[in-house]
Amino acid sequence: MAEMTPMMQQYLETKKEYPDAILFYRLGDFYEMFFEDAITASKELEITLTGKNCGLEERAPMCGIPYHAVDGYLARLVSKGYKVAICEQMEDPKLAKGIVKREVIRVVTPGTNLNAQTLDEGRNNYLMSIAYFQGKIGISIADVTTGDYYLTEVEDNRKLLDEINKYSPSEIICNDAFLVSGIDIEDLKGRLHIALYTQEPHFFDEDRCRKCLLKHFHVTSLLGMGIEDFPSGLIAAGCLMQYLTETQKTSLDHITHLYPYLTSKYMLLDSSTRRNLELTETLREKQKRGSLLWVLDKTRTAMGARTLRQFIEQPLIDRAQIEQRLNSVEALSKQAISRDEIREYLNPIYDLERLLGKVSYKTANPRDLIAFRNSLQMLPHIKTLLDDFDAELLKEINDQIDDLSDICNLIENSIEEDPPLAIKEGGIIREGFDETIDNLRHAKTEGKDWLAKLEEEDRERTGIKNLRIRYNKVFGYYYEVTNSYKDLVPEDYVRKQTLANAERYTNARLKELEDMILNAEDKLFTLEYDMFCRIRDAIAGEMERIQRTAKAVAKLDVLASLSLVAERNHYVRPSINEKGVIDIKAGRHPVVEQMISGEMFISNDTYLDNNKYCVSVITGPNMAGKSTYMRQVALIVLMAQIGSFVPATSANIGMVDRIFTRVGASDDLASGQSTFMVEMNEVANILRNATSNSLLILDEIGRGTSTFDGLSIAWAVIEHISNKKLLGAKTLFATHYHELTELEGKMSNVNNYCIAVKEKGDDIVFLRKIIKGGADKSYGIQVAKLAGVPDMVIDRAKEIVAQLCDNDILEKVQSIVTPQNESRHKAVKYDEVDLSQMSLFDTVTDEDVINELKEIDVTTLTPLDALNTLYRLQNKLKNRW
């Protein structure tokens, strides 16, 4: 160390404090990086790697970036998962004695990035803290750009992963136990692109966490915050706050509340369901277009866009809250003109939440304040329009919106209409706001006029006709009096210099003007900067009022968006019930109907309950629309529970506590899991975690293995789900195993449906309509022909299928469920229908039961068979709807 230059010694001492970060070390107009940091940064930023003599035998690797371009380079490193410590010069190098004092002023990480150019304004940038303990896992989440701060607790890894997938944090900090918890850390880093850092054990010390939270919120007890019931969550929140304090090195005053919540307060959506239903991004392209969020998002503000995303990510399971939202959407729809006016006033509103973050970090510039003022000017108009609405939630929103007129007036009176971006170069404070600033500004622009006026006044006062006020760099401003008039010089003149034929003087008035004129610009810039900082601090002092208003405006924006979408897309208000009945008439897929052009989306009915219509087995060819139909039902239920109208002619939605989906197939090669293994893992998760109030969407269970194994698993899964003692969840089950249609009638709550098709010779037409009954074949060869498989292959496939049909697996399946002495009837081809045969979910009538009784051969029934048949028919009549 002694051999190195003082500057490099200072660098290494600083670097020792931040070993896991790339150190941006300020040297003049550049940020320099050295040694390993330089090698890493030059590679990632594609900048030149050079060397610097620092007292060692070899030159130290070095690279640098201009200070004025730091934001772009910083954002690139952070987006790649790096931490960056910014080390600034803390004194003017011209005034420094010895080496310039430097300090790290902030550590930028993926979860604490404030750069608006690199953040998506429509989604939060979350930092998550995980305190992993045996039996309880504490979770805390914060967004430093908006001030959101939450905590909760979960019991196991799966629920922890659900929370991770819900928030999609850009960074996780955790204790060492999390690394050996069994969760796939590499998957979090690779697939979910989450930067993950472990923290020292002292970060998770309970006493230290408590003290940190008490200090931040300026309270003496945490009892009033409602977080004492979450001991592990409290530790996670304390760890997160310590981390923010150490990295941000600022007050974080915009984080005003810590909100505890129970995960059971919202519908449970696991990562598979979020992906398969494409709630916020598409499965393949990871784009917003084509997702449910894309359809529903007609918000006008960034805050509203983020809030709508939260609504979709966290559907409600409280009927009163759902009805509140639905009432508000309906009220806005009934007063469409007022709603559209509200949306017009919402349009100019700035991102108030992130502005407060900039205010707290002291990075808000004058133009931010003008945008803030323009936003506040909209609030009185919005409140006036809301006065006409009676919906309870809209009234609450109106009460929560503060017009903030005092802040609006402060900015209006103090900040220039078109200020510069820079805050230290003047031109910020409006004329008339501060007398001293006005005088200095006048001195800068009107100094010559003042001097000319003083010169004229002193000529008249003294009688010296050739009195002149002049200037040079040595003496500044002075009066010049020729020798012929020096007898008239007044007593207040002080001699500064004697010349051959004249004398030079000054006095108090001239010194005052000189001081004002010569130092006006520097003083003006300093005073304007100080005044701007005071105004910014005054806004920071009203943080809670502004945050409360911002949240209310965001919620109003979401409700107005849902109302507009409902109107444009012809949605209806769903009825909400707690009886477990899902009854949808003419339901449509909200996304697909918007994506298809020039075609009419074929609507379909759905009826599910916890009794007779518990499990729907859906058969039909590929490409016919089974998956679209099932996703459509799940999305309609989810939309209803976020408080949105739904795409249908009518909908009565029984609230569900969870939606599980098993759709599609994908290998997980990275972890060595095949398609079938992935599928079985998901099925196991569903069967273990679903409840009787859940909605299950199961597509092609068992197709990843042999026919007999796959059919057996699918069969057993349906039996398990339909058994009320084991599960009894409402289920849509799509399959190509037509043998499963035999379960209808054998299990009282399993029903067959299929996709209608129209055959024309060897060709088929998909009618996209769900009808009662089961399909007797998959039309796989016809689908292959549609896809362009060569005719030679198609013809050979027909030959082979004809041979295979002679060994029909159905014979073997029948033996599982049908007594040998029970007669077997020829299957009806329900899937081949005319377009007029589209009545869905036919109800049971007396005539149906009578006809079935007529067909029973009682001479072949055993006494037990007769009792079972009688019981089943009796239940059919009891459960009519």
Side-chain angles (χ1 to χ4, degrees):
M1 184 73 78
E3 298 176 1
M4 293 190 179
T5 61
M7 184 279 294
M8 189 55 68
Q9 290 180 35
Q10 185 190 54
Y11 168 84
L12 289 174
E13 286 170 5
T14 307
K15 176 64 181 173
K16 192 184 295 182
E17 296 178 30
Y18 301 92
D20 60 344
I22 293 175
L23 184 61
F24 277 21
Y25 188 73
R26 182 73 178 267
L27 285 172
D29 290 339
F30 282 81
Y31 287 102
E32 306 286 7
M33 288 142 277
F34 300 99
F35 302 108
E36 287 299 321
D37 285 357
I39 295 169
T40 302
S42 65
K43 178 183 174 183
E44 297 288 3
L45 300 176
E46 299 174 334
I47 56 178
T48 304
L49 181 67
T50 62
K52 184 179 183 70
N53 291 320
C54 59
L56 296 176
E57 292 181 8
E58 295 183 3
R59 286 160 60 86
M62 183 192 84
C63 65
I65 55 174
Y67 81 95
H68 56 78
V70 67
D71 287 344
Y73 290 110
L74 182 63
R76 285 170 63 184
L77 285 174
V78 170
S79 68
K80 293 173 184 282
Y82 292 99
K83 287 183 180 180
V84 180
I86 302 173
C87 184
E88 284 287 0
Q89 296 175 166
M90 304 308 290
E91 57 184 345
D92 189 336
K94 297 174 185 175
L95 306 176
K97 295 179 180 179
I99 192 164
V100 177
K101 184 181 177 183
R102 292 179 176 86
E103 287 180 11
V104 171
I105 61 164
R106 185 168 166 242
V107 180
V108 185
T109 71
T112 60
N113 184 14
L114 300 174
N115 191 329
Q117 278 69 46
T118 60
L119 295 176
D120 180 351
E121 67 172 16
R123 68 185 301 163
N124 290 88
N125 184 42
Y126 285 121
L127 166 68
M128 178 178 279
S129 168
I130 297 173
Y132 199 97
F133 302 113
Q134 194 68 35
K136 276 290 183 192
I137 305 166
I139 302 172
S140 184
I141 312 98
D143 181 347
V144 295
T145 66
T146 64
D148 293 331
Y149 190 20
Y150 309 103
L151 72 80
T152 190
E153 290 180 350
V154 295
E155 297 79 34
D156 55 47
N157 285 1
R158 191 162 292 282
K159 290 181 179 177
L160 173 57
L161 284 172
D162 289 340
E163 293 303 295
I164 291 172
N165 280 283
K166 179 202 296 185
Y167 288 104
S168 295
S170 53
E171 179 182 356
I172 289 175
I173 57 173
C174 60
N175 55 354
D176 291 332
F178 177 68
L179 299 181
V180 293
S181 64
I183 286 178
D184 190 342
I185 302 299
E186 293 308 313
D187 182 61
L188 296 180
K189 293 179 178 178
R191 185 173 60 84
L192 298 180
H193 309 292
I194 299 172
L196 192 144
Y197 305 104
T198 55
Q199 300 302 303
E200 296 294 326
H202 63 78
F203 274 82
F204 299 91
D205 177 75
E206 184 175 356
D207 287 341
R208 182 168 172 157
C209 290
R210 284 178 177 278
K211 287 175 183 176
C212 179
L213 292 174
L214 290 169
K215 180 180 178 182
H216 174 78
F217 290 110
H218 308 294
V219 292
T220 56
S221 171
L222 298 178
L223 286 172
M225 298 175 66
I227 63 177
E228 290 286 1
D229 294 333
F230 301 83
S232 299
L234 187 152
I235 291 172
C239 169
L240 191 149
M241 183 54 68
Q242 291 175 73
Y243 182 76
L244 288 179
T245 303
E246 287 196 7
T247 57
Q248 304 312 289
K249 301 182 182 296
T250 190
S251 64
L252 300 168
D253 287 338
H254 64 304
I255 300 178
T256 56
H257 289 93
L258 175 54
Y259 298 98
Y261 72 94
L262 295 169
T263 54
S264 57
K265 182 183 175 184
Y266 303 103
M267 182 195 293
L268 189 149
L269 298 168
D270 63 10
S271 59
S272 176
T273 300
R274 292 176 194 278
R275 288 198 310 272
N276 290 328
L277 294 183
E278 300 182 306
L279 298 183
T280 58
E281 63 182 18
T282 55
L283 199 56
R284 290 184 175 85
E285 294 85 10
K286 307 297 181 188
Q287 300 293 318
K288 179 181 174 182
R289 178 180 168 79
S291 68
L292 179 63
L293 178 62
W294 170 70
V295 173
L296 298 181
D297 189 4
K298 298 294 179 284
T299 54
R300 290 299 184 91
T301 68
M303 303 173 295
R306 291 194 297 271
T307 302
L308 176 59
R309 181 183 286 269
Q310 291 168 11
F311 274 28
I312 293 172
E313 296 273 15
Q314 299 185 142
L316 301 171
I317 56 173
D318 183 300
R319 182 177 179 179
Q321 290 181 311
I322 296 169
E323 295 285 7
Q324 264 197 343
R325 289 183 185 176
L326 289 171
N327 290 340
S328 300
V329 173
E330 183 174 35
L332 288 163
S333 297
K334 285 181 178 178
Q335 299 186 49
I337 295 175
S338 294
R339 178 201 65 205
D340 291 344
E341 278 191 68
I342 287 172
R343 283 172 51 79
E344 286 299 315
Y345 286 123
L346 286 170
N347 202 42
I349 292 184
Y350 191 67
D351 193 340
L352 302 181
E353 290 179 325
R354 285 192 167 159
L355 170 69
L356 288 178
K358 294 175 79 172
V359 168
S360 180
Y361 275 84
K362 303 189 186 305
T363 58
N365 62 47
R367 291 186 188 176
D368 288 329
L369 296 198
I370 291 299
F372 186 43
R373 181 208 65 189
N374 294 342
S375 303
L376 300 187
Q377 288 173 343
M378 301 298 110
L379 298 181
H381 303 292
I382 291 172
K383 285 181 69 65
T384 300
L385 288 165
L386 284 175
D387 286 338
D388 296 332
F389 289 90
D390 294 326
E392 183 182 351
L393 185 55
L394 293 178
K395 284 185 172 181
E396 282 181 18
I397 288 171
N398 197 8
D399 291 340
Q400 289 165 1
I401 294 176
D402 186 330
D403 64 14
L404 301 169
S405 56
D406 52 334
I407 299 173
C408 184
N409 291 334
L410 172 63
I411 300 172
E412 174 74 23
N413 295 332
S414 62
I415 306 296
E416 285 282 2
E417 188 64 34
D418 187 21
L421 270 175
I423 60 175
K424 293 188 176 181
E425 296 178 10
I428 299 172
I429 304 301
R430 192 185 282 270
E431 182 85 20
F433 184 72
D434 183 269
E435 185 178 353
T436 306
I437 290 175
D438 289 347
N439 290 338
L440 288 170
R441 189 173 288 147
H442 294 157
K444 182 185 171 189
T445 57
E446 301 170 14
K448 289 182 180 178
D449 294 340
W450 289 352
L451 290 169
K453 185 178 179 183
L454 180 62
E455 184 180 82
E456 186 62 33
E457 287 175 354
D458 272 31
R459 276 182 192 165
E460 291 183 8
R461 181 167 70 92
T462 62
I464 303 172
K465 294 180 179 179
N466 63 355
L467 179 75
R468 294 283 186 272
I469 294 178
R470 300 184 184 277
Y471 171 81
N472 67 35
K473 290 183 179 180
V474 177
F475 292 103
Y477 288 100
Y478 52 85
Y479 296 109
E480 188 170 283
V481 180
T482 59
N483 289 337
S484 57
Y485 284 98
K486 67 180 181 181
D487 294 340
L488 298 176
V489 171
E491 291 183 4
D492 61 320
Y493 277 31
V494 178
R495 183 182 287 109
K496 292 186 74 172
Q497 188 182 19
T498 301
L499 303 177
N501 59 349
E503 297 280 351
R504 289 176 175 174
Y505 301 91
T506 187
N507 66 4
R509 177 63 179 147
L510 184 58
K511 280 183 178 179
E512 183 183 339
L513 281 179
E514 178 184 54
D515 187 49
M516 287 183 68
I517 294 168
L518 294 182
N519 299 316
E521 189 168 278
D522 289 342
K523 283 187 175 180
L524 176 63
F525 291 173
T526 301
L527 273 177
E528 285 205 59
Y529 172 72
D530 291 343
M531 182 59 69
F532 173 76
C533 289
R534 286 204 293 274
I535 294 165
R536 192 169 60 188
D537 291 343
I539 294 171
E542 304 298 332
M543 199 75 73
E544 290 198 36
R545 288 173 61 201
I546 301 169
Q547 282 183 328
R548 187 167 56 250
T549 298
K551 292 290 185 191
V553 168
K555 195 177 292 184
L556 175 62
D557 193 11
V558 172
L559 296 172
S561 176
L562 294 177
S563 170
L564 182 73
V565 171
E567 180 184 287
R568 287 183 179 175
N569 298 346
H570 310 292
Y571 293 173
V572 298
R573 174 174 179 162
S575 300
I576 305 297
N577 71 78
E578 297 178 50
K579 298 178 181 178
V581 174
I582 296 175
D583 185 5
I584 301 167
K585 301 296 184 190
R588 312 184 304 276
H589 194 294
V591 180
V592 175
E593 73 168 348
Q594 298 300 315
M595 297 291 283
I596 58 177
S597 56
E599 294 181 51
M600 184 180 74
F601 186 89
I602 305 299
S603 61
N604 277 298
D605 296 356
T606 304
Y607 188 92
L608 291 168
D609 62 23
N610 290 331
N611 296 308
K612 182 182 175 184
Y613 295 92
C614 180
V615 179
S616 295
V617 176
I618 304 167
T619 49
N622 287 315
M623 294 175 54
K626 298 191 300 295
S627 295
T628 298
Y629 169 70
M630 295 194 301
R631 285 187 175 104
Q632 154 189 319
V633 174
L635 287 173
I636 288 174
V637 171
L638 185 140
M639 288 171 68
Q641 290 190 224
I642 69 171
S644 169
F645 283 22
V646 298
T649 56
S650 71
N652 186 11
I653 305 299
M655 289 189 302
V656 302
D657 61 353
R658 308 160 187 221
I659 295 177
F660 288 102
T661 62
R662 159 88 279 279
V663 180
S666 60
D667 288 356
D668 189 357
L669 300 178
S671 58
Q673 294 188 339
S674 67
T675 301
F676 185 65
M677 189 61 181
V678 171
E679 177 185 320
M680 289 300 100
N681 281 336
E682 292 182 1
V683 170
N685 170 45
I686 292 169
L687 297 182
R688 289 180 183 278
N689 294 290
T691 72
S692 59
N693 292 322
S694 301
L695 174 63
L696 313 187
I697 306 297
L698 303 176
D699 192 8
E700 309 291 353
I701 297 295
R703 70 177 174 180
T705 186
S706 69
T707 303
F708 282 109
D709 284 356
L711 173 58
S712 303
I713 290 169
W715 191 293
V717 167
I718 293 178
E719 284 186 344
H720 182 92
I721 291 170
S722 62
N723 188 324
K724 291 183 182 179
K725 293 181 180 178
L726 297 175
L727 185 51
K730 292 178 283 292
T731 304
L732 296 176
F733 192 107
T735 184
H736 281 295
Y737 295 130
H738 299 125
E739 297 76 19
L740 294 177
T741 59
E742 295 295 320
L743 289 169
E744 183 181 58
K746 312 303 175 185
M747 297 176 188
S748 61
N749 55 0
V750 176
N751 300 274
N752 291 335
Y753 298 96
C754 63
I755 306 285
V757 298
K758 185 74 176 175
E759 286 197 79
K760 294 182 179 179
D762 285 343
D763 297 325
I764 55 172
V765 177
F766 300 126
L767 303 180
R768 314 287 186 197
K769 200 74 175 174
I770 304 291
I771 61 172
K772 197 86 170 71
D776 70 332
K777 56 183 178 179
S778 291
Y779 300 96
I781 294 174
Q782 288 90 332
V783 173
K785 185 177 179 181
L786 285 175
V789 174
D791 290 341
M792 183 170 65
V793 176
I794 296 293
D795 293 339
R796 177 60 181 147
K798 290 178 181 176
E799 293 174 13
I800 295 170
V801 79
Q803 295 171 19
L804 293 175
C805 282
D806 294 336
N807 277 328
D808 191 355
I809 190 176
L810 191 58
E811 295 286 349
K812 297 170 182 176
V813 172
Q814 279 293 104
S815 67
I816 300 173
V817 294
T818 308
Q820 290 183 357
N821 58 349
E822 187 173 320
S823 61
R824 184 172 164 216
H825 301 286
K826 183 180 177 183
V828 180
K829 296 186 178 180
Y830 289 104
D831 54 332
E832 294 180 20
V833 298
D834 291 88
L835 287 171
S836 60
Q837 295 176 310
M838 296 300 173
S839 63
L840 286 188
F841 306 102
D842 296 329
T843 56
V844 175
T845 64
D846 293 351
E847 190 177 350
D848 294 331
V849 176
I850 291 168
N851 288 337
E852 190 171 343
L853 277 169
K854 285 178 181 178
E855 292 176 5
I856 294 174
D857 185 356
V858 294
T859 62
T860 63
L861 294 179
T862 66
L864 182 60
D865 288 335
L867 283 172
N868 285 335
T869 302
L870 184 61
Y871 180 77
R872 181 169 52 77
L873 293 175
Q874 190 179 49
N875 277 342
K876 275 193 175 184
L877 292 173
K878 283 181 180 178
N879 294 330
R880 283 185 299 170
W881 53 280

